Amino acid sequence: DIQMTQSPSSLSASVGDRVTITCRASQRISYYLNWYQQKPGKAPKVLIYGASSLQSGVPSRFSGSGSGTDFTLTISSLQPEDFATYYCQQSFSIPRTFGQGTKVEIK
Amino acid sequence: EVQLVESGGGLVQPGASLRLSCAASGFIFSSYWMSWVRQAPGKGLEWVANIKQDGSERNYVDSVKGRFTISRDNAKNSVYLQMNSLRVEDTAVYYCAREWNAFDMWGQGTMVSVSS
C-alpha cells in the first residue's frame, strides 16, 4: 500500500497569510494526487485533482504542485472560510489512501 | 439536483450485519466508478471499497475483505455496502463518493456504530 504523509499535522495562521501544506507518498505516484477540504460535520470537498488542476468552483487562491512523491497545497491568502482540515489522497493505485490530515486553525 | 444520499446506518452489536445504500441523482450514474469512504470519530478518512461502472470489478481495503461487499444497481442509480461480522473498529461515518479523477462528489454520510 502507498502511505501518504502530510506535514504539518496542524498549523495556526492568520487571515491573509500564505499557507503551505506538504504531502509525501511512499512511492512514486506521478500526478495522481488530490487535495480535499473538510469542515466539522461535513463531507470532504475536492479542491485540487491531478496534483495541480483546480476543481470547478474552487477559489483561485488554492493551488497545487508536485509530482512523483512530493506535493504541495498552497493557499495564497487565507480567508476565514478556509479554516478546516485538509487531506491529500493518491489515486494511483488500490487501495486508495489518504494522508492523516492537516488542521488549519486561527491564530 | 446532483447529489448522493446515504442511508442504512445505525447502532448494532459486534458480529451483526448492516446494509448501507447510496442513491444518486442528477448525473449519469452508470458512467462512474463509485466508492465508500469512512471516517471514525475524530479520525481521518479511510477508503473502504470501490466498484466499476458495470460492477465487473470491485476492490476493498484489506481490513474489510471477506466481510464487506460493495454492489450497485444502475437501474436504480444506487450503490450498496453489505457489512457483515461488524467489529467495534468499523464504527464510523460512511460516505459514498463518485470517483472521477478524484472523489468529486460526496454524500452527507451515514453513521454506523458497533458497540455491545
Side-chain angles (χ1 to χ4, degrees):
Chain A
D1 298 2
I2 298 175
Q3 308 303 317
M4 307 301 294
T5 304
Q6 288 180 234
S7 61
S9 295
S10 65
L11 65 90
S12 295
S14 300
V15 172
D17 284 353
R18 182 182 183 88
V19 169
T20 299
I21 299 169
T22 64
C23 178
R24 174 164 288 176
S26 60
Q27 61 189 75
R28 296 184 67 84
I29 59 170
S30 186
Y31 295 95
Y32 294 91
L33 189 284
N34 310 307
W35 290 98
Y36 301 85
Q37 178 193 67
Q38 187 180 32
K39 296 181 179 179
K42 300 294 186 181
K45 166 189 167 183
V46 63
L47 302 173
I48 302 287
Y49 64 92
S52 61
S53 296
L54 191 68
Q55 177 73 2
S56 175
V58 174
S60 58
R61 63 181 178 273
F62 291 93
S63 64
S65 64
S67 68
T69 60
D70 293 308
F71 302 87
T72 299
L73 173 70
T74 300
I75 309 172
S76 60
S77 177
L78 198 65
Q79 297 302 300
E81 60 267 31
D82 300 337
F83 292 96
T85 300
Y86 294 83
Y87 294 92
C88 63
Q89 175 250 329
Q90 62 83 15
S91 51
F92 180 80
S93 66
I94 295 293
R96 307 293 192 225
T97 47
F98 291 86
Q100 81 280 13
T102 296
K103 188 172 184 179
V104 177
E105 299 176 300
I106 301 172
K107 183 183 261 185
Chain B
E1 184 182 1
V2 180
Q3 63 177 356
L4 297 169
V5 179
E6 302 95 335
S7 60
L11 173 62
V12 297
Q13 293 187 331
S17 297
L18 211 53
R19 188 194 195 211
L20 305 184
S21 299
C22 171
S25 59
F27 64 96
I28 303 173
F29 178 74
S30 59
S31 295
Y32 295 88
W33 283 77
M34 295 298 296
S35 279
W36 287 94
V37 177
R38 67 184 178 183
Q39 187 169 36
K43 302 298 184 182
L45 300 166
E46 180 183 38
W47 174 83
V48 174
N50 70 0
I51 185 168
K52 196 174 179 179
Q53 289 93 330
D54 62 358
S56 62
E57 184 175 339
R58 311 174 195 208
N59 300 291
Y60 301 91
V61 70
D62 281 350
S63 59
V64 309
K65 281 180 183 175
R67 300 189 299 123
F68 290 12
T69 302
I70 189 170
S71 62
R72 66 190 295 161
D73 184 337
N74 287 342
K76 294 184 178 180
N77 290 336
S78 293
V79 61
Y80 309 98
L81 188 67
Q82 177 67 43
M83 304 186 294
N84 298 332
S85 303
L86 281 161
R87 304 168 180 169
V88 170
E89 55 266 32
D90 295 319
T91 294
V93 174
Y94 284 73
Y95 297 99
C96 69
R98 187 178 79 173
E99 191 165 357
W100 182 257
N101 297 316
F103 299 121
D104 70 337
M105 181 186 300
W106 298 67
Q108 84 287 354
T110 187
M111 182 70 203
V112 172
S113 297
V114 185
S115 174
S116 54

